[in-house]
Amino acid sequence: EAQVTQNPRYLITVTGKKLTVTCSQNMNHEYMSWYRQDPGLGLRQIYYSMNVEVTDKGDVPEGYKVSRKEKRNFPLILESPSPNQTSLYFCASQDSEGDEQYFGPGTRLTVT
Amino acid sequence: DQQVKQNSPSLSVQEGRISILNCDYTNSMFDYFLWYKKYPAEGPTFLISISSIKDKNEDGRFTVFLNKSAKHLSLHIVPSQPGDSAVYFCAASGGRAARQLTFGSGTQLTVLP
């Protein structure tokens, strides 16, 4: 089954404790992206990757890091999480020919 | 400043009637528009798209209309069904090949049986 998977689905952590949210897709898509969803703001792009070893900032990159060492994986790293990073996070992928982005199920992160 | 705006946070419609969801944008560089649907505890799923060279695109019960001069698009669902109850996001990009999407804040559609 074609899908985008994210882990963990839920995470509660404390300020300053480094964490990684994994994202993997099995569709051989070149493009991958991370978004955060906040009430009243919709989805905002954090980082994106056009292909392996090619990443770039989206609209709200501060406080986040990403890497793209393999085509299928695109982890999101929070080196020192803060409460304002409490949000619902989505990973997405898209191939070079298609219209649509395929989204993962989301990761709900709470930073206390 | 939000470049894609959905001014109605929620909309309730009776089953069988038409649902109309609206979206406005400010960036003239946007030329490709998409609608996504999102159920609770799931990621958004693609619904329908339209290029700026068209003013209408239809897919079954779903039709998207684009008014470029007004920088406005709308999604029509006819007839509405209870399973259509979800949050609908409008998104825009600088072309079909572009991957960076700018999303609106979403509209919660509730279809009443």
Side-chain angles (χ1 to χ4, degrees), chain A:
Chain A
E1 180 191 355
Q3 59 182 353
V4 178
T5 57
Q6 296 179 227
N7 282 293
R9 293 289 311 276
Y10 302 90
L11 179 60
I12 301 174
T13 189
V14 295
T15 299
K17 186 177 181 182
K18 181 179 178 179
L19 66 93
T20 299
V21 183
T22 64
C23 172
S24 183
Q25 50 95 3
N26 63 1
M27 295 167 280
N28 202 36
H29 287 169
E30 290 84 10
Y31 179 86
M32 296 186 76
S33 181
W34 275 103
Y35 296 88
R36 59 179 287 174
Q37 182 190 353
D38 301 291
L41 296 176
L43 283 82
R44 294 178 293 166
Q45 191 177 52
I46 303 170
Y47 268 94
Y48 64 95
S49 170
M50 299 298 286
N51 214 324
V52 176
E53 302 292 1
V54 181
T55 63
D56 210 343
K57 296 177 181 178
D59 297 319
V60 287
E62 295 78 20
Y64 304 95
K65 284 176 56 177
V66 293
S67 68
R68 187 92 182 274
K69 292 183 168 51
E70 305 165 280
K71 200 171 189 179
R72 63 181 291 128
N73 295 323
F74 190 45
L76 180 69
I77 303 155
L78 285 72
E79 296 268 4
S80 183
S82 62
N84 64 11
Q85 293 179 296
T86 292
S87 188
L88 179 58
Y89 291 86
F90 291 102
C91 180
S93 73
Q94 184 174 3
D95 80 15
S96 56
E97 300 298 322
D99 279 352
E100 59 179 291
Q101 292 193 12
Y102 293 81
F103 283 82
T107 295
R108 185 165 291 283
L109 172 65
T110 302
V111 183
T112 61

Side-chain angles (χ1 to χ4, degrees), chain B:
Chain B
D1 185 35
Q2 284 193 299
Q3 298 183 67
V4 177
K5 296 181 183 179
Q6 294 176 256
N7 292 318
S8 297
S10 62
L11 174 69
S12 291
V13 170
Q14 210 66 36
E15 181 178 5
R17 307 295 293 267
I18 184 171
S19 296
I20 300 176
L21 295 94
N22 294 303
C23 178
D24 297 293
Y25 62 97
T26 57
N27 190 337
S28 301
M29 300 302 291
F30 290 147
D31 60 3
Y32 199 73
F33 305 90
L34 309 92
W35 285 93
Y36 281 79
K37 179 167 79 171
K38 184 184 178 304
Y39 293 117
E42 295 182 11
T45 55
F46 171 75
L47 192 56
I48 193 169
S49 62
I50 188 167
S51 165
S52 61
I53 62 173
K54 294 185 176 181
D55 54 19
K56 176 182 173 182
N57 189 27
E58 209 169 339
D59 184 1
R61 296 186 296 113
F62 302 91
T63 303
V64 56
F65 295 92
L66 175 62
N67 182 332
K68 279 188 66 178
S69 61
K71 294 190 176 68
H72 177 84
L73 62 154
S74 60
L75 175 68
H76 292 212
I77 306 173
V78 183
S80 301
Q81 300 173 353
D84 296 329
S85 297
V87 177
Y88 289 78
F89 290 101
C90 170
S93 74
R96 185 175 180 273
R99 297 291 177 257
Q100 288 85 273
L101 296 178
T102 300
F103 282 83
S105 54
T107 296
Q108 170 70 58
L109 172 66
T110 302
V111 180
L112 305 166

